Amino acid sequence: MSSSPHIAVVDDHKDIRELLVRYLGSHGYRVSEADSAAAFRYLLERSSPDLVVLDIMMPGEDGLSLCRDLRANTQLPVIFLTAVSEDTDRIIGLEMGADDYLTKPFNPRELLARIKAVLRRSNSLPPQRDAPRSGNLRIGDKILDMERREITGPDEVAVPLSTAEFRLLAVFLDHPGIILNRDQLLDLTTGRAADVWDRSIDNQVSRLRRKIEPDPKNPTLIQTHWGGGYSFTGKVEKA
C-alpha cells in the first residue's frame, strides 16, 4: 500500500474535483473524490484519508454540517473551500475546528502549500486523550457547564466563557499533563501556525486563568513552562 498522503476532495463541482485529482496526484498524493457529504461518508467507511478538502456550499448536507460531525467523531484535518460571499460560514467553520480555508477561485499551488502545512502540523501534535465533552465538570473549586459554556465558583455566580476561552480550555482538558507550546495551542484551537511574535495564546491563557483559577496570580491549574508553553495539571471529575 502506498505511504503517500491520502487526500479526499469533497465538492459538488466536477471541474474542481477533476482539477484537484490531477494536480494533487501529479505531486504524489493519493486523491479520492466525492460530490456530496453522503458520498464522502460512503468513502470514509471504506478508506482512511489523511485530510479532506471540503466545499462549504453543497446540495443536501452542507460542508459545515459535515465538518461538525467530523470534529465530533474524528481528528481528520479539514481545509474548507469557500466563496468570497461566504465570510460568515468561513468564520463558523473555523470556530468548528476546521484547520484552514481557501477562498474560491483559488490557485491549486496555494492549496497544495496549505495541505502540506496542515499535514505537517497535525502529524506533530500530541495525541488526544478521552475527556468528558458533556454535562458538568468539577475543576478545582469550580463547576464547568460544558453545554452552556459557563463556569461557576463557590459564590454560585456563573461566568460565561468566550468561544476562544472555551476552545482553549477544551484543548487543555483533552491533553492533561502534556506541555503544549504556542504553536501547538494555536494549531489545536484555531488551526493555524504561530508567528514568532504571536502572543495571542498568552493573552487567552491569562484571561482563562482569571475565570478558572482560585488565585490567578498564583495559578495551580494551568502551569507555565518557560520556553516550553503551558500544561493543564488540575484534577477534573464529573460534577
Side-chain angles (χ1 to χ4, degrees), residues 124-145:
S124 68
L125 293 176
Q128 179 174 314
R129 301 181 184 177
D130 291 334
R133 281 293 191 172
S134 61
N136 293 343
L137 303 179
R138 183 178 299 278
I139 303 176
D141 64 347
K142 295 181 171 61
I143 301 296
L144 170 64
D145 186 323

Side-chain angles (χ1 to χ4, degrees), residues 75-140:
Q75 296 186 50
L76 181 63
V78 175
I79 296 179
F80 268 132
L81 296 180
T82 75
V84 175
S85 61
E86 296 166 5
D87 190 61
T88 300
D89 286 344
R90 173 183 60 81
I91 294 171
I92 293 173
L94 291 176
E95 289 181 343
M96 286 180 179
D99 297 88
D100 207 343
Y101 73 92
L102 196 58
T103 302
K104 295 179 180 180
F106 60 89
N107 186 323
R109 184 176 179 180
E110 182 179 359
L111 177 60
L112 176 63
R114 290 174 184 266
I115 287 173
K116 289 180 178 179
V118 169
L119 288 176
R120 184 171 60 251
R121 294 198 306 263
S122 63
N123 290 335
S124 68
L125 293 176
Q128 179 174 314
R129 301 181 184 177
D130 291 334
R133 281 293 191 172
S134 61
N136 293 343
L137 303 179
R138 183 178 299 278
I139 303 176

Side-chain angles (χ1 to χ4, degrees), residues 86-226:
E86 296 166 5
D87 190 61
T88 300
D89 286 344
R90 173 183 60 81
I91 294 171
I92 293 173
L94 291 176
E95 289 181 343
M96 286 180 179
D99 297 88
D100 207 343
Y101 73 92
L102 196 58
T103 302
K104 295 179 180 180
F106 60 89
N107 186 323
R109 184 176 179 180
E110 182 179 359
L111 177 60
L112 176 63
R114 290 174 184 266
I115 287 173
K116 289 180 178 179
V118 169
L119 288 176
R120 184 171 60 251
R121 294 198 306 263
S122 63
N123 290 335
S124 68
L125 293 176
Q128 179 174 314
R129 301 181 184 177
D130 291 334
R133 281 293 191 172
S134 61
N136 293 343
L137 303 179
R138 183 178 299 278
I139 303 176
D141 64 347
K142 295 181 171 61
I143 301 296
L144 170 64
D145 186 323
M146 296 290 286
E147 278 72 37
R148 299 175 67 89
R149 298 188 177 188
E150 294 178 342
I151 194 150
T152 304
D155 57 4
E156 298 186 352
V157 175
V159 178
L161 297 175
S162 69
T163 297
E165 291 164 352
F166 180 79
R167 188 185 297 124
L168 179 61
L169 179 55
V171 166
F172 281 131
L173 295 180
D174 285 341
H175 302 84
I178 298 175
I179 299 175
L180 299 169
N181 60 38
R182 292 186 186 92
D183 286 5
Q184 292 171 325
L185 287 169
L186 277 169
D187 287 340
L188 290 164
T189 56
T190 66
R192 65 183 180 88
D195 183 276
V196 67
W197 301 112
D198 197 326
R199 313 303 289 187
S200 62
I201 285 295
D202 299 327
N203 295 332
Q204 289 179 30
V205 168
S206 179
R207 291 194 295 270
L208 182 59
R209 278 174 167 162
R210 288 198 290 269
K211 294 184 178 181
I212 71 170
E213 294 278 2
D215 181 1
K217 294 183 179 180
N218 297 286
T220 58
L221 301 176
I222 301 175
Q223 298 291 323
T224 299
H225 300 269
W226 299 112

